[in-house]
Each structure stands twice: as structure tokens, then as C-alpha cells.
Amino acid sequence: MADKKQRTPWILWPFVALWRLITWILQLTGRLVAAVLGLVLMVVGVILTVTVVGAVVGLPLIIFGFLLMIRSIF
């Protein structure tokens, strides 16, 4: 049987792109630096979220930092 490359549905493509970006950052920096960077992004996101105006930027930073930390662990 020939191996078929599975295509990603278009609706899930942003999540796949985000995961590939996180993987690229992890490969570029290493696990420890990626975990520290994820923690810093989460802290900055929390600080921005405390201000109501910064919540639009803060929440994605928290999510991105959390995903970066999870990816660096596993």
C-alpha cells in the first residue's frame, strides 16, 4: 500500500500553523529557553489582561505561552 499524506481540513489549519510555529521556536531555542519564554509570555499576558484594554492582546499571549510551555515539556 502506498502511504498517503493526510491533508488537514481548512478549518483546523490555524491550529496546525500555530503548533508548527511553536515547534519551530522550540527547535530554534531549545527546551529550557522555550519553557522560560513561555513563562515570560504568560506573565506578560496576565499583566496585560489585568488592564481591560490589554485583554485583547493578553489572552492570546497567555494561550501562546501555555502552549509553548506544554510543547517544551513533551
Side-chain angles (χ1 to χ4, degrees):
M1 290 203 161
D3 290 321
K4 291 184 179 180
K5 189 173 182 179
Q6 217 172 12
R7 296 182 54 117
T8 304
W10 66 271
I11 196 147
L12 296 177
W13 194 85
F15 300 109
V16 172
L18 179 65
W19 195 253
R20 287 182 184 165
L21 174 67
I22 291 171
T23 303
W24 180 76
I25 291 172
L26 188 68
Q27 288 175 350
L28 185 68
T29 60
R31 289 186 185 269
L32 183 61
V33 175
V36 171
L37 183 63
L39 182 64
V40 168
L41 286 174
M42 285 178 60
V43 169
V44 170
V46 167
I47 291 171
L48 284 175
T49 304
V50 170
T51 65
V52 178
V53 176
V56 175
V57 177
L59 287 175
L61 274 178
I62 293 171
I63 294 168
F64 188 72
F66 179 73
L67 288 175
L68 193 57
M69 285 187 66
I70 292 297
R71 184 68 177 114
S72 68
I73 293 171
F74 297 110

